[in-house]
Amino acid sequence: MPRRRSDASSYATPMTIASPAPKASNPASWLNNQPYLLLSLSSLFWAGNIVLARHVGAHVPPLTVTTIRWFGVFLILLPFAWPHLKRDWPALRSSLPLMLFLSLVGFAFNNAISYWAMQYTEALNALLIQSAGPLFVALWSLVLFGVRLTGAQFAGIAISLVGVLIIILRGDLAALAGISFNRGDIMFASSLVAFGLYSAFIPRRPKIHQLSFLSFTTCCGATMLLPTAIWEAASGRVLQFDGITLATLGYILIFPSALAYLFFNRGVALIGPNRAAPFFHLVPVFGSAMAILLLGEKLQPFHLIGYALVLAGVVIASRQGSAVK
């Protein structure tokens, strides 16, 4: 009787089967084969992005900032990506519909709508909605590819979700009933639906270099957003290049954009979307830790309980196991 495939291999196609990890010869090579660290860093950078987006939401035009964000990342990566782009162009061209789709849901729509949403909602609501990210990934993986969560994955997501709620609601789960949602929350949820779709499709991307993939999709995503940025400027919302704007763009371009997406894409490629999805729950964990370290919020027992549950859930859900199809 044949052995069942592991979760990560169940996502692989002939185009995405990863060769055994080479022995690390330098820190970058070592990091490139550490999926749990890569996914944790992505969550850290995205947590900072949510806090920042809420802080500057009324100051910067969301569609313009998102367009500049992806054009900027493309220009930063282009000198390093150019040799890989030339080599990978036949694969990119043969998979052009998929690449344009990933550019739309993973970069253009997802990011523009989430920045826009932060003008109408609170960071608390956004973090609550963010905690549903793994469920959207699991749903799309099931509907599109018939990949079901294993028992361990389901249990891990549930445990970490409880930990997220304890942190966000400050240990009072009854407070959940008093939270109201508005149009910004619906907009933010739609961005997660789109990113879940992006995550489910990542293992089906062509077998190309990470820099080729990210530079191509960021360029396409920014091009898709350009008409919306022009419309936004024409309606009177013009970007002011002051200190706040420049600092915001500096953080956005480097951490939640270039690095976070490189790390996230590589992590998903190594362990598959369902095992990677629970790392979304680290976003509110890092967000609350930032509040403690940077804003002087006092560390409370509910923080420690929530952190422990989230970390336990992530470990359980992301461990090597059998995929159910």
Side-chain angles (χ1 to χ4, degrees), residues 75-111:
L75 293 175
I76 290 171
L77 294 178
L78 186 58
F80 309 99
W82 182 247
H84 305 292
L85 280 168
K86 291 193 294 184
R87 184 196 63 206
D88 294 334
W89 177 244
L92 287 166
R93 184 173 55 190
S94 65
S95 301
L96 189 59
L98 174 60
M99 295 298 294
L100 291 176
F101 176 73
L102 291 173
S103 302
L104 174 65
V105 297
F107 297 87
F109 178 82
N110 163 49
N111 288 272

PDB file of all heavy atoms in Angstrom, residues 75-111:
ATOM      1  N   LEU A  75      10.968  48.709  -8.976  1.00  0.00           N
ATOM      2  CA  LEU A  75      12.212  49.396  -9.316  1.00  0.00           C
ATOM      3  C   LEU A  75      13.362  48.980  -8.393  1.00  0.00           C
ATOM      4  O   LEU A  75      14.513  48.883  -8.826  1.00  0.00           O
ATOM      5  CB  LEU A  75      12.002  50.909  -9.252  1.00  0.00           C
ATOM      6  CG  LEU A  75      11.059  51.481 -10.319  1.00  0.00           C
ATOM      7  CD1 LEU A  75      10.834  52.965 -10.077  1.00  0.00           C
ATOM      8  CD2 LEU A  75      11.602  51.230 -11.710  1.00  0.00           C
ATOM      9  N   ILE A  76      13.040  48.724  -7.118  1.00  0.00           N
ATOM     10  CA  ILE A  76      14.075  48.264  -6.180  1.00  0.00           C
ATOM     11  C   ILE A  76      14.590  46.883  -6.578  1.00  0.00           C
ATOM     12  O   ILE A  76      15.794  46.603  -6.538  1.00  0.00           O
ATOM     13  CB  ILE A  76      13.521  48.238  -4.742  1.00  0.00           C
ATOM     14  CG1 ILE A  76      13.286  49.671  -4.229  1.00  0.00           C
ATOM     15  CG2 ILE A  76      14.472  47.495  -3.802  1.00  0.00           C
ATOM     16  CD1 ILE A  76      12.549  49.725  -2.904  1.00  0.00           C
ATOM     17  N   LEU A  77      13.680  46.009  -6.981  1.00  0.00           N
ATOM     18  CA  LEU A  77      14.052  44.629  -7.290  1.00  0.00           C
ATOM     19  C   LEU A  77      14.649  44.466  -8.678  1.00  0.00           C
ATOM     20  O   LEU A  77      15.404  43.514  -8.921  1.00  0.00           O
ATOM     21  CB  LEU A  77      12.818  43.722  -7.177  1.00  0.00           C
ATOM     22  CG  LEU A  77      12.198  43.549  -5.796  1.00  0.00           C
ATOM     23  CD1 LEU A  77      10.968  42.663  -5.888  1.00  0.00           C
ATOM     24  CD2 LEU A  77      13.209  42.949  -4.818  1.00  0.00           C
ATOM     25  N   LEU A  78      14.305  45.379  -9.595  1.00  0.00           N
ATOM     26  CA  LEU A  78      14.653  45.170 -11.012  1.00  0.00           C
ATOM     27  C   LEU A  78      16.141  44.919 -11.250  1.00  0.00           C
ATOM     28  O   LEU A  78      16.483  43.995 -12.017  1.00  0.00           O
ATOM     29  CB  LEU A  78      14.167  46.362 -11.839  1.00  0.00           C
ATOM     30  CG  LEU A  78      14.338  46.224 -13.358  1.00  0.00           C
ATOM     31  CD1 LEU A  78      13.605  44.991 -13.866  1.00  0.00           C
ATOM     32  CD2 LEU A  78      13.847  47.475 -14.069  1.00  0.00           C
ATOM     33  N   PRO A  79      17.067  45.676 -10.649  1.00  0.00           N
ATOM     34  CA  PRO A  79      18.490  45.389 -10.931  1.00  0.00           C
ATOM     35  C   PRO A  79      18.907  43.975 -10.540  1.00  0.00           C
ATOM     36  O   PRO A  79      19.761  43.375 -11.205  1.00  0.00           O
ATOM     37  CB  PRO A  79      19.229  46.433 -10.080  1.00  0.00           C
ATOM     38  CG  PRO A  79      18.233  47.523  -9.863  1.00  0.00           C
ATOM     39  CD  PRO A  79      16.904  46.849  -9.777  1.00  0.00           C
ATOM     40  N   PHE A  80      18.307  43.446  -9.486  1.00  0.00           N
ATOM     41  CA  PHE A  80      18.645  42.091  -9.035  1.00  0.00           C
ATOM     42  C   PHE A  80      17.853  41.028  -9.813  1.00  0.00           C
ATOM     43  O   PHE A  80      18.325  39.907  -9.998  1.00  0.00           O
ATOM     44  CB  PHE A  80      18.347  41.952  -7.540  1.00  0.00           C
ATOM     45  CG  PHE A  80      18.955  43.031  -6.695  1.00  0.00           C
ATOM     46  CD1 PHE A  80      18.204  44.126  -6.269  1.00  0.00           C
ATOM     47  CD2 PHE A  80      20.294  42.984  -6.329  1.00  0.00           C
ATOM     48  CE1 PHE A  80      18.762  45.128  -5.502  1.00  0.00           C
ATOM     49  CE2 PHE A  80      20.870  43.980  -5.559  1.00  0.00           C
ATOM     50  CZ  PHE A  80      20.099  45.062  -5.150  1.00  0.00           C
ATOM     51  N   ALA A  81      16.650  41.411 -10.246  1.00  0.00           N
ATOM     52  CA  ALA A  81      15.764  40.440 -10.894  1.00  0.00           C
ATOM     53  C   ALA A  81      15.991  40.321 -12.396  1.00  0.00           C
ATOM     54  O   ALA A  81      15.580  39.326 -12.998  1.00  0.00           O
ATOM     55  CB  ALA A  81      14.302  40.833 -10.639  1.00  0.00           C
ATOM     56  N   TRP A  82      16.651  41.325 -13.003  1.00  0.00           N
ATOM     57  CA  TRP A  82      16.724  41.371 -14.460  1.00  0.00           C
ATOM     58  C   TRP A  82      17.301  40.098 -15.092  1.00  0.00           C
ATOM     59  O   TRP A  82      16.722  39.562 -16.050  1.00  0.00           O
ATOM     60  CB  TRP A  82      17.513  42.600 -14.907  1.00  0.00           C
ATOM     61  CG  TRP A  82      17.591  42.741 -16.402  1.00  0.00           C
ATOM     62  CD1 TRP A  82      18.686  42.643 -17.193  1.00  0.00           C
ATOM     63  CD2 TRP A  82      16.488  43.001 -17.284  1.00  0.00           C
ATOM     64  NE1 TRP A  82      18.357  42.828 -18.503  1.00  0.00           N
ATOM     65  CE2 TRP A  82      17.010  43.049 -18.594  1.00  0.00           C
ATOM     66  CE3 TRP A  82      15.122  43.192 -17.085  1.00  0.00           C
ATOM     67  CZ2 TRP A  82      16.214  43.279 -19.713  1.00  0.00           C
ATOM     68  CZ3 TRP A  82      14.316  43.429 -18.188  1.00  0.00           C
ATOM     69  CH2 TRP A  82      14.860  43.472 -19.489  1.00  0.00           C
ATOM     70  N   PRO A  83      18.432  39.568 -14.607  1.00  0.00           N
ATOM     71  CA  PRO A  83      18.946  38.325 -15.218  1.00  0.00           C
ATOM     72  C   PRO A  83      17.953  37.168 -15.110  1.00  0.00           C
ATOM     73  O   PRO A  83      17.824  36.366 -16.040  1.00  0.00           O
ATOM     74  CB  PRO A  83      20.224  38.034 -14.423  1.00  0.00           C
ATOM     75  CG  PRO A  83      20.593  39.332 -13.795  1.00  0.00           C
ATOM     76  CD  PRO A  83      19.311  40.045 -13.523  1.00  0.00           C
ATOM     77  N   HIS A  84      17.245  37.082 -13.989  1.00  0.00           N
ATOM     78  CA  HIS A  84      16.273  36.008 -13.812  1.00  0.00           C
ATOM     79  C   HIS A  84      15.041  36.227 -14.696  1.00  0.00           C
ATOM     80  O   HIS A  84      14.474  35.266 -15.218  1.00  0.00           O
ATOM     81  CB  HIS A  84      15.860  35.932 -12.348  1.00  0.00           C
ATOM     82  CG  HIS A  84      17.003  35.784 -11.392  1.00  0.00           C
ATOM     83  ND1 HIS A  84      17.777  34.647 -11.329  1.00  0.00           N
ATOM     84  CD2 HIS A  84      17.527  36.653 -10.484  1.00  0.00           C
ATOM     85  CE1 HIS A  84      18.720  34.797 -10.414  1.00  0.00           C
ATOM     86  NE2 HIS A  84      18.593  36.007  -9.888  1.00  0.00           N
ATOM     87  N   LEU A  85      14.638  37.488 -14.848  1.00  0.00           N
ATOM     88  CA  LEU A  85      13.501  37.787 -15.718  1.00  0.00           C
ATOM     89  C   LEU A  85      13.785  37.376 -17.157  1.00  0.00           C
ATOM     90  O   LEU A  85      12.911  36.812 -17.839  1.00  0.00           O
ATOM     91  CB  LEU A  85      13.164  39.278 -15.654  1.00  0.00           C
ATOM     92  CG  LEU A  85      12.346  39.761 -14.458  1.00  0.00           C
ATOM     93  CD1 LEU A  85      12.347  41.285 -14.400  1.00  0.00           C
ATOM     94  CD2 LEU A  85      10.911  39.233 -14.535  1.00  0.00           C
ATOM     95  N   LYS A  86      14.986  37.670 -17.640  1.00  0.00           N
ATOM     96  CA  LYS A  86      15.338  37.285 -19.009  1.00  0.00           C
ATOM     97  C   LYS A  86      15.312  35.766 -19.165  1.00  0.00           C
ATOM     98  O   LYS A  86      14.806  35.252 -20.169  1.00  0.00           O
ATOM     99  CB  LYS A  86      16.721  37.840 -19.366  1.00  0.00           C
ATOM    100  CG  LYS A  86      16.753  39.353 -19.512  1.00  0.00           C
ATOM    101  CD  LYS A  86      18.043  39.824 -20.167  1.00  0.00           C
ATOM    102  CE  LYS A  86      19.241  39.547 -19.289  1.00  0.00           C
ATOM    103  NZ  LYS A  86      20.502  40.092 -19.894  1.00  0.00           N
ATOM    104  N   ARG A  87      15.836  35.066 -18.191  1.00  0.00           N
ATOM    105  CA  ARG A  87      15.866  33.613 -18.269  1.00  0.00           C
ATOM    106  C   ARG A  87      14.473  33.005 -18.131  1.00  0.00           C
ATOM    107  O   ARG A  87      14.128  32.033 -18.806  1.00  0.00           O
ATOM    108  CB  ARG A  87      16.776  33.061 -17.163  1.00  0.00           C
ATOM    109  CG  ARG A  87      16.969  31.547 -17.195  1.00  0.00           C
ATOM    110  CD  ARG A  87      17.531  31.056 -15.887  1.00  0.00           C
ATOM    111  NE  ARG A  87      16.606  31.319 -14.783  1.00  0.00           N
ATOM    112  CZ  ARG A  87      16.988  31.457 -13.516  1.00  0.00           C
ATOM    113  NH1 ARG A  87      18.267  31.397 -13.202  1.00  0.00           N
ATOM    114  NH2 ARG A  87      16.095  31.680 -12.584  1.00  0.00           N
ATOM    115  N   ASP A  88      13.633  33.607 -17.257  1.00  0.00           N
ATOM    116  CA  ASP A  88      12.323  33.034 -16.957  1.00  0.00           C
ATOM    117  C   ASP A  88      11.210  33.554 -17.866  1.00  0.00           C
ATOM    118  O   ASP A  88      10.052  33.149 -17.698  1.00  0.00           O
ATOM    119  CB  ASP A  88      11.944  33.341 -15.494  1.00  0.00           C
ATOM    120  CG  ASP A  88      12.846  32.646 -14.506  1.00  0.00           C
ATOM    121  OD1 ASP A  88      13.409  31.592 -14.843  1.00  0.00           O
ATOM    122  OD2 ASP A  88      12.997  33.161 -13.365  1.00  0.00           O
ATOM    123  N   TRP A  89      11.530  34.440 -18.802  1.00  0.00           N
ATOM    124  CA  TRP A  89      10.482  35.032 -19.626  1.00  0.00           C
ATOM    125  C   TRP A  89       9.622  34.001 -20.361  1.00  0.00           C
ATOM    126  O   TRP A  89       8.398  34.142 -20.416  1.00  0.00           O
ATOM    127  CB  TRP A  89      11.072  36.036 -20.610  1.00  0.00           C
ATOM    128  CG  TRP A  89      10.027  36.604 -21.525  1.00  0.00           C
ATOM    129  CD1 TRP A  89       9.947  36.462 -22.869  1.00  0.00           C
ATOM    130  CD2 TRP A  89       8.892  37.391 -21.139  1.00  0.00           C
ATOM    131  NE1 TRP A  89       8.846  37.109 -23.358  1.00  0.00           N
ATOM    132  CE2 TRP A  89       8.172  37.683 -22.315  1.00  0.00           C
ATOM    133  CE3 TRP A  89       8.424  37.863 -19.918  1.00  0.00           C
ATOM    134  CZ2 TRP A  89       7.010  38.442 -22.313  1.00  0.00           C
ATOM    135  CZ3 TRP A  89       7.246  38.619 -19.908  1.00  0.00           C
ATOM    136  CH2 TRP A  89       6.563  38.903 -21.088  1.00  0.00           C
ATOM    137  N   PRO A  90      10.184  32.924 -20.967  1.00  0.00           N
ATOM    138  CA  PRO A  90       9.315  31.935 -21.622  1.00  0.00           C
ATOM    139  C   PRO A  90       8.279  31.328 -20.672  1.00  0.00           C
ATOM    140  O   PRO A  90       7.116  31.150 -21.049  1.00  0.00           O
ATOM    141  CB  PRO A  90      10.304  30.881 -22.122  1.00  0.00           C
ATOM    142  CG  PRO A  90      11.585  31.628 -22.304  1.00  0.00           C
ATOM    143  CD  PRO A  90      11.619  32.625 -21.179  1.00  0.00           C
ATOM    144  N   ALA A  91       8.690  31.035 -19.428  1.00  0.00           N
ATOM    145  CA  ALA A  91       7.747  30.471 -18.457  1.00  0.00           C
ATOM    146  C   ALA A  91       6.706  31.507 -18.053  1.00  0.00           C
ATOM    147  O   ALA A  91       5.521  31.183 -17.888  1.00  0.00           O
ATOM    148  CB  ALA A  91       8.498  29.966 -17.229  1.00  0.00           C
ATOM    149  N   LEU A  92       7.120  32.759 -17.879  1.00  0.00           N
ATOM    150  CA  LEU A  92       6.180  33.824 -17.542  1.00  0.00           C
ATOM    151  C   LEU A  92       5.157  34.023 -18.663  1.00  0.00           C
ATOM    152  O   LEU A  92       3.964  34.158 -18.411  1.00  0.00           O
ATOM    153  CB  LEU A  92       6.933  35.131 -17.287  1.00  0.00           C
ATOM    154  CG  LEU A  92       7.720  35.230 -15.986  1.00  0.00           C
ATOM    155  CD1 LEU A  92       8.679  36.423 -16.028  1.00  0.00           C
ATOM    156  CD2 LEU A  92       6.776  35.357 -14.805  1.00  0.00           C
ATOM    157  N   ARG A  93       5.633  34.038 -19.879  1.00  0.00           N
ATOM    158  CA  ARG A  93       4.735  34.259 -21.022  1.00  0.00           C
ATOM    159  C   ARG A  93       3.749  33.109 -21.181  1.00  0.00           C
ATOM    160  O   ARG A  93       2.570  33.334 -21.469  1.00  0.00           O
ATOM    161  CB  ARG A  93       5.566  34.430 -22.295  1.00  0.00           C
ATOM    162  CG  ARG A  93       4.746  34.769 -23.533  1.00  0.00           C
ATOM    163  CD  ARG A  93       5.675  35.082 -24.688  1.00  0.00           C
ATOM    164  NE  ARG A  93       6.608  33.973 -24.923  1.00  0.00           N
ATOM    165  CZ  ARG A  93       7.655  34.048 -25.743  1.00  0.00           C
ATOM    166  NH1 ARG A  93       7.925  35.185 -26.380  1.00  0.00           N
ATOM    167  NH2 ARG A  93       8.441  33.008 -25.907  1.00  0.00           N
ATOM    168  N   SER A  94       4.198  31.884 -20.969  1.00  0.00           N
ATOM    169  CA  SER A  94       3.292  30.740 -21.121  1.00  0.00           C
ATOM    170  C   SER A  94       2.266  30.670 -20.006  1.00  0.00           C
ATOM    171  O   SER A  94       1.216  30.054 -20.159  1.00  0.00           O
ATOM    172  CB  SER A  94       4.104  29.440 -21.151  1.00  0.00           C
ATOM    173  OG  SER A  94       4.761  29.222 -19.911  1.00  0.00           O
ATOM    174  N   SER A  95       2.554  31.326 -18.874  1.00  0.00           N
ATOM    175  CA  SER A  95       1.607  31.334 -17.740  1.00  0.00           C
ATOM    176  C   SER A  95       1.036  32.731 -17.517  1.00  0.00           C
ATOM    177  O   SER A  95       0.649  33.070 -16.396  1.00  0.00           O
ATOM    178  CB  SER A  95       2.323  30.869 -16.464  1.00  0.00           C
ATOM    179  OG  SER A  95       2.854  29.580 -16.595  1.00  0.00           O
ATOM    180  N   LEU A  96       0.952  33.522 -18.572  1.00  0.00           N
ATOM    181  CA  LEU A  96       0.557  34.918 -18.425  1.00  0.00           C
ATOM    182  C   LEU A  96      -0.820  35.100 -17.776  1.00  0.00           C
ATOM    183  O   LEU A  96      -0.968  35.953 -16.887  1.00  0.00           O
ATOM    184  CB  LEU A  96       0.593  35.617 -19.785  1.00  0.00           C
ATOM    185  CG  LEU A  96       0.402  37.131 -19.765  1.00  0.00           C
ATOM    186  CD1 LEU A  96       1.470  37.805 -18.909  1.00  0.00           C
ATOM    187  CD2 LEU A  96       0.433  37.689 -21.184  1.00  0.00           C
ATOM    188  N   PRO A  97      -1.869  34.343 -18.150  1.00  0.00           N
ATOM    189  CA  PRO A  97      -3.164  34.540 -17.472  1.00  0.00           C
ATOM    190  C   PRO A  97      -3.086  34.334 -15.959  1.00  0.00           C
ATOM    191  O   PRO A  97      -3.647  35.120 -15.191  1.00  0.00           O
ATOM    192  CB  PRO A  97      -4.078  33.503 -18.143  1.00  0.00           C
ATOM    193  CG  PRO A  97      -3.468  33.281 -19.491  1.00  0.00           C
ATOM    194  CD  PRO A  97      -1.986  33.381 -19.266  1.00  0.00           C
ATOM    195  N   LEU A  98      -2.361  33.286 -15.525  1.00  0.00           N
ATOM    196  CA  LEU A  98      -2.216  33.039 -14.086  1.00  0.00           C
ATOM    197  C   LEU A  98      -1.421  34.152 -13.425  1.00  0.00           C
ATOM    198  O   LEU A  98      -1.787  34.625 -12.336  1.00  0.00           O
ATOM    199  CB  LEU A  98      -1.527  31.700 -13.856  1.00  0.00           C
ATOM    200  CG  LEU A  98      -1.177  31.357 -12.392  1.00  0.00           C
ATOM    201  CD1 LEU A  98      -2.430  31.309 -11.530  1.00  0.00           C
ATOM    202  CD2 LEU A  98      -0.409  30.035 -12.307  1.00  0.00           C
ATOM    203  N   MET A  99      -0.365  34.617 -14.069  1.00  0.00           N
ATOM    204  CA  MET A  99       0.456  35.665 -13.483  1.00  0.00           C
ATOM    205  C   MET A  99      -0.319  36.975 -13.356  1.00  0.00           C
ATOM    206  O   MET A  99      -0.194  37.686 -12.354  1.00  0.00           O
ATOM    207  CB  MET A  99       1.711  35.877 -14.335  1.00  0.00           C
ATOM    208  CG  MET A  99       2.651  34.681 -14.373  1.00  0.00           C
ATOM    209  SD  MET A  99       3.316  34.243 -12.743  1.00  0.00           S
ATOM    210  CE  MET A  99       4.302  35.683 -12.404  1.00  0.00           C
ATOM    211  N   LEU A 100      -1.134  37.306 -14.347  1.00  0.00           N
ATOM    212  CA  LEU A 100      -1.946  38.516 -14.268  1.00  0.00           C
ATOM    213  C   LEU A 100      -3.002  38.383 -13.176  1.00  0.00           C
ATOM    214  O   LEU A 100      -3.303  39.350 -12.462  1.00  0.00           O
ATOM    215  CB  LEU A 100      -2.604  38.796 -15.617  1.00  0.00           C
ATOM    216  CG  LEU A 100      -1.651  39.215 -16.743  1.00  0.00           C
ATOM    217  CD1 LEU A 100      -2.422  39.369 -18.057  1.00  0.00           C
ATOM    218  CD2 LEU A 100      -0.929  40.513 -16.392  1.00  0.00           C
ATOM    219  N   PHE A 101      -3.551  37.192 -13.030  1.00  0.00           N
ATOM    220  CA  PHE A 101      -4.544  36.954 -11.975  1.00  0.00           C
ATOM    221  C   PHE A 101      -3.910  37.115 -10.598  1.00  0.00           C
ATOM    222  O   PHE A 101      -4.494  37.768  -9.709  1.00  0.00           O
ATOM    223  CB  PHE A 101      -5.131  35.558 -12.133  1.00  0.00           C
ATOM    224  CG  PHE A 101      -6.094  35.175 -11.050  1.00  0.00           C
ATOM    225  CD1 PHE A 101      -7.362  35.737 -10.990  1.00  0.00           C
ATOM    226  CD2 PHE A 101      -5.733  34.261 -10.075  1.00  0.00           C
ATOM    227  CE1 PHE A 101      -8.253  35.399  -9.988  1.00  0.00           C
ATOM    228  CE2 PHE A 101      -6.612  33.904  -9.073  1.00  0.00           C
ATOM    229  CZ  PHE A 101      -7.872  34.483  -9.027  1.00  0.00           C
ATOM    230  N   LEU A 102      -2.716  36.551 -10.402  1.00  0.00           N
ATOM    231  CA  LEU A 102      -2.028  36.692  -9.118  1.00  0.00           C
ATOM    232  C   LEU A 102      -1.656  38.148  -8.851  1.00  0.00           C
ATOM    233  O   LEU A 102      -1.701  38.606  -7.706  1.00  0.00           O
ATOM    234  CB  LEU A 102      -0.779  35.806  -9.100  1.00  0.00           C
ATOM    235  CG  LEU A 102      -1.020  34.299  -9.062  1.00  0.00           C
ATOM    236  CD1 LEU A 102       0.295  33.539  -9.210  1.00  0.00           C
ATOM    237  CD2 LEU A 102      -1.731  33.884  -7.787  1.00  0.00           C
ATOM    238  N   SER A 103      -1.308  38.879  -9.892  1.00  0.00           N
ATOM    239  CA  SER A 103      -1.010  40.310  -9.733  1.00  0.00           C
ATOM    240  C   SER A 103      -2.237  41.077  -9.264  1.00  0.00           C
ATOM    241  O   SER A 103      -2.145  41.979  -8.424  1.00  0.00           O
ATOM    242  CB  SER A 103      -0.517  40.890 -11.065  1.00  0.00           C
ATOM    243  OG  SER A 103       0.629  40.224 -11.528  1.00  0.00           O
ATOM    244  N   LEU A 104      -3.391  40.702  -9.804  1.00  0.00           N
ATOM    245  CA  LEU A 104      -4.637  41.381  -9.449  1.00  0.00           C
ATOM    246  C   LEU A 104      -5.046  41.112  -8.009  1.00  0.00           C
ATOM    247  O   LEU A 104      -5.259  42.039  -7.224  1.00  0.00           O
ATOM    248  CB  LEU A 104      -5.752  40.947 -10.404  1.00  0.00           C
ATOM    249  CG  LEU A 104      -7.156  41.466 -10.081  1.00  0.00           C
ATOM    250  CD1 LEU A 104      -7.218  42.980 -10.210  1.00  0.00           C
ATOM    251  CD2 LEU A 104      -8.191  40.809 -10.989  1.00  0.00           C
ATOM    252  N   VAL A 105      -5.148  39.824  -7.627  1.00  0.00           N
ATOM    253  CA  VAL A 105      -5.684  39.499  -6.302  1.00  0.00           C
ATOM    254  C   VAL A 105      -4.651  39.659  -5.196  1.00  0.00           C
ATOM    255  O   VAL A 105      -4.996  39.976  -4.055  1.00  0.00           O
ATOM    256  CB  VAL A 105      -6.270  38.060  -6.276  1.00  0.00           C
ATOM    257  CG1 VAL A 105      -7.448  37.945  -7.226  1.00  0.00           C
ATOM    258  CG2 VAL A 105      -5.207  37.008  -6.603  1.00  0.00           C
ATOM    259  N   GLY A 106      -3.366  39.446  -5.518  1.00  0.00           N
ATOM    260  CA  GLY A 106      -2.346  39.489  -4.483  1.00  0.00           C
ATOM    261  C   GLY A 106      -1.710  40.846  -4.276  1.00  0.00           C
ATOM    262  O   GLY A 106      -1.154  41.110  -3.207  1.00  0.00           O
ATOM    263  N   PHE A 107      -1.819  41.724  -5.270  1.00  0.00           N
ATOM    264  CA  PHE A 107      -1.119  43.000  -5.181  1.00  0.00           C
ATOM    265  C   PHE A 107      -2.043  44.189  -5.432  1.00  0.00           C
ATOM    266  O   PHE A 107      -2.103  45.097  -4.615  1.00  0.00           O
ATOM    267  CB  PHE A 107       0.063  43.014  -6.159  1.00  0.00           C
ATOM    268  CG  PHE A 107       1.098  41.986  -5.836  1.00  0.00           C
ATOM    269  CD1 PHE A 107       0.994  40.694  -6.322  1.00  0.00           C
ATOM    270  CD2 PHE A 107       2.160  42.288  -5.016  1.00  0.00           C
ATOM    271  CE1 PHE A 107       1.937  39.719  -6.009  1.00  0.00           C
ATOM    272  CE2 PHE A 107       3.113  41.335  -4.686  1.00  0.00           C
ATOM    273  CZ  PHE A 107       2.996  40.046  -5.180  1.00  0.00           C
ATOM    274  N   ALA A 108      -2.755  44.200  -6.546  1.00  0.00           N
ATOM    275  CA  ALA A 108      -3.574  45.371  -6.878  1.00  0.00           C
ATOM    276  C   ALA A 108      -4.780  45.489  -5.951  1.00  0.00           C
ATOM    277  O   ALA A 108      -4.868  46.403  -5.125  1.00  0.00           O
ATOM    278  CB  ALA A 108      -4.011  45.295  -8.340  1.00  0.00           C
ATOM    279  N   PHE A 109      -5.714  44.540  -6.035  1.00  0.00           N
ATOM    280  CA  PHE A 109      -6.947  44.652  -5.258  1.00  0.00           C
ATOM    281  C   PHE A 109      -6.694  44.516  -3.768  1.00  0.00           C
ATOM    282  O   PHE A 109      -7.147  45.338  -2.964  1.00  0.00           O
ATOM    283  CB  PHE A 109      -7.946  43.594  -5.715  1.00  0.00           C
ATOM    284  CG  PHE A 109      -9.233  43.625  -4.926  1.00  0.00           C
ATOM    285  CD1 PHE A 109     -10.233  44.528  -5.237  1.00  0.00           C
ATOM    286  CD2 PHE A 109      -9.436  42.758  -3.860  1.00  0.00           C
ATOM    287  CE1 PHE A 109     -11.409  44.581  -4.506  1.00  0.00           C
ATOM    288  CE2 PHE A 109     -10.602  42.791  -3.123  1.00  0.00           C
ATOM    289  CZ  PHE A 109     -11.596  43.705  -3.455  1.00  0.00           C
ATOM    290  N   ASN A 110      -5.977  43.484  -3.369  1.00  0.00           N
ATOM    291  CA  ASN A 110      -5.796  43.182  -1.948  1.00  0.00           C
ATOM    292  C   ASN A 110      -5.238  44.377  -1.183  1.00  0.00           C
ATOM    293  O   ASN A 110      -5.772  44.785  -0.144  1.00  0.00           O
ATOM    294  CB  ASN A 110      -4.869  41.972  -1.816  1.00  0.00           C
ATOM    295  CG  ASN A 110      -4.297  41.815  -0.428  1.00  0.00           C
ATOM    296  OD1 ASN A 110      -5.007  41.851   0.563  1.00  0.00           O
ATOM    297  ND2 ASN A 110      -2.996  41.670  -0.346  1.00  0.00           N
ATOM    298  N   ASN A 111      -4.181  44.975  -1.692  1.00  0.00           N
ATOM    299  CA  ASN A 111      -3.524  46.053  -0.954  1.00  0.00           C
ATOM    300  C   ASN A 111      -4.261  47.369  -1.050  1.00  0.00           C
ATOM    301  O   ASN A 111      -4.372  48.101  -0.069  1.00  0.00           O
ATOM    302  CB  ASN A 111      -2.086  46.205  -1.461  1.00  0.00           C
ATOM    303  CG  ASN A 111      -1.209  45.064  -1.016  1.00  0.00           C
ATOM    304  OD1 ASN A 111      -0.631  45.103   0.057  1.00  0.00           O
ATOM    305  ND2 ASN A 111      -1.126  44.020  -1.823  1.00  0.00           N
TER     306      ASN A 111
END
